[in-house]
Amino acid sequence: GDSVTQMEGPVTLSEEAFLTINCTYTATGYPSLFWYVQYPGEGLQLLLKATKADDKGSNKGFEATYRKETTSFHLEKGSVQVSDSAVYFCALSPNRDDKIIFGKGTRLHILP
Amino acid sequence: EAQVTQNPRYLITVTGKKLTVTCSQNMNHEYMSWYRQDPGLGLRQIYYSMNVEVTDKGDVPEGYKVSRKEKRNFPLILESPSPNQTSLYFCASTGYTEAFFGQGTRLTVV
């Protein structure tokens, strides 16, 4: 069945470091891909999305490119801030009904 | 403003005492779901609903019930809570493949 695999955390970086969180997926057809972020004490919120191959989603300095050939959607940011500390979830929607399948999440700690 | 409201935010209860966690959305979405979040296990779907009076089991439905009598509300019912249901619960409402989440309910069953 459809699934999402993302790198396990926690990931700890210093402020201004480069961030990559890996995400790969298994799906039939042409899913939409997402990154959600969960700040401490809050629910998940959509960070960015891409709906077809080679699309790049971007928001708040974060980027991810939909790579169909490698079935990947890695999250990147050039210079992280302490305020980016959160849990990041990669997700996909098979585009059948509105079901969304989430990865297990990656906790990110940014040190000042 | 698009909103999913769930209540309560925190709840401590005793084993076997029935409880309901409410969830309401204002986006007229047809698809709603409940998740539980546990350390190391990520988000697991408990139940989902594709429309009024249409509900189905997710990945971990045992010990839970839901109802969908009207489009905006999707309550989660624990008829006889047990300690292994201690968790962080999220309601989500999905439209055009984007999911909107409530703030979460932290449930402790003692």
Side-chain angles (χ1 to χ4, degrees):
Chain A
D2 300 333
S3 66
V4 174
T5 302
Q6 61 183 105
M7 62 189 290
E8 293 194 19
V11 173
T12 302
L13 296 171
S14 296
E15 207 166 21
E16 300 183 4
F18 184 87
L19 168 72
T20 300
I21 301 178
N22 290 336
C23 172
T24 57
Y25 68 90
T26 301
T28 54
Y30 303 93
S32 295
L33 302 175
F34 310 86
W35 278 99
Y36 280 81
V37 59
Q38 182 183 25
Y39 297 106
E42 297 184 13
L44 282 72
Q45 55 187 274
L46 180 66
L47 179 61
L48 54 86
K49 69 178 180 182
T51 56
K52 62 183 188 297
D54 299 325
D55 268 3
K56 179 186 282 188
S58 61
N59 186 23
K60 300 183 181 180
F62 291 90
E63 292 182 340
T65 301
Y66 189 143
R67 301 282 188 205
K68 192 162 177 64
E69 64 276 12
T70 55
T71 61
S72 65
F73 193 55
H74 305 320
L75 183 68
E76 296 181 336
K77 187 174 185 182
S79 177
V80 292
Q81 306 299 314
V82 172
S83 57
D84 294 326
S85 298
V87 181
Y88 292 82
F89 291 87
C90 186
L92 73 82
S93 172
N95 290 324
R96 302 185 299 273
D97 53 63
D98 277 318
K99 184 177 177 67
I100 297 182
I101 297 162
F102 290 90
K104 290 190 175 181
T106 302
R107 184 174 296 279
L108 174 66
H109 293 290
I110 306 299
L111 304 175
Chain B
E1 179 192 351
Q3 209 162 20
V4 177
T5 304
Q6 59 179 105
N7 283 294
R9 291 289 310 276
Y10 302 93
L11 180 59
I12 301 174
T13 190
V14 296
T15 299
K17 185 176 180 183
K18 181 179 178 179
L19 66 91
T20 299
V21 184
T22 63
C23 175
S24 180
Q25 52 100 355
N26 65 357
M27 294 163 280
N28 203 36
H29 287 161
E30 293 180 346
Y31 191 101
M32 297 183 72
S33 49
W34 277 101
Y35 295 86
R36 60 178 288 174
Q37 184 178 18
D38 301 290
L41 297 176
L43 281 170
R44 294 180 293 169
Q45 193 181 52
I46 302 170
Y47 266 94
Y48 64 96
S49 169
M50 296 179 68
N51 213 328
V52 174
E53 303 292 2
V54 180
T55 63
D56 209 347
K57 296 176 181 179
D59 301 316
V60 288
E62 293 77 21
Y64 304 95
K65 283 176 55 177
V66 292
S67 70
R68 189 89 181 273
K69 293 187 169 62
E70 47 192 343
K71 204 175 208 181
R72 64 183 293 119
N73 295 324
F74 188 46
L76 178 70
I77 303 154
L78 284 72
E79 294 267 3
S80 183
S82 61
N84 66 10
Q85 293 178 299
T86 293
S87 187
L88 179 59
Y89 292 86
F90 288 101
C91 177
S93 177
T94 305
Y96 302 105
T97 72
E98 179 174 347
F100 295 82
F101 283 80
Q103 295 270 64
T105 296
R106 186 165 293 281
L107 172 66
T108 302
V109 183
V110 298

